[in-house]
Amino acid sequence: MIGRLNHVAIAVPDLEQAAATYRGALGAKVSDPVDEPDHGVTVIFVELPNTKIELLHPLGDKSPIQAFLDKNPSGGMHHVCYEVDDIMAARDRMKAEGARVLGDGEPKIGAHGKPVLFLHPKDFCGTLVELEQA
Ligand code: CO
């Protein structure tokens, strides 16, 4: 069912420093910071030839990644995003497989303007999984 790896998201305590690391040491193409108030994050997109890395930093007091950074103060991998052709079919399949879909189970519009869902990390090898309709 799953298709391409769309992105890997890494939560970081210092966005400028993270951007400098990817731009400088790794020589990657790195975007300017983009505020996404609906998602409670500021994001820097790192473009790789075959996928993207998203560097996430909390925005506002109710950021969904603040608790993660509290537990992982130097940052860490927050989630992986896989593409699917049909988000509703994917959602129904996940539920039938006994996996927990986070939130109210309805797709939301994600960082790229496409419908996304998140799946409970305990059901997927300890990793938060985002599904995005390609
Ligand atoms: Co994501």
Side-chain angles (χ1 to χ4, degrees), residues 10-27:
I10 300 174
V12 300
D14 183 334
L15 208 45
E16 286 301 309
Q17 189 182 31
T21 298
Y22 270 83
R23 190 185 284 120
L26 294 171

Side-chain angles (χ1 to χ4, degrees), residues 7-9 54 56 79-81 111-112 118 130 132:
H7 61 270
V8 174
E54 294 183 2
L56 306 178
H79 65 268
V80 293
C81 177
H112 312 112
F118 284 91
E130 179 179 17
E132 179 176 298

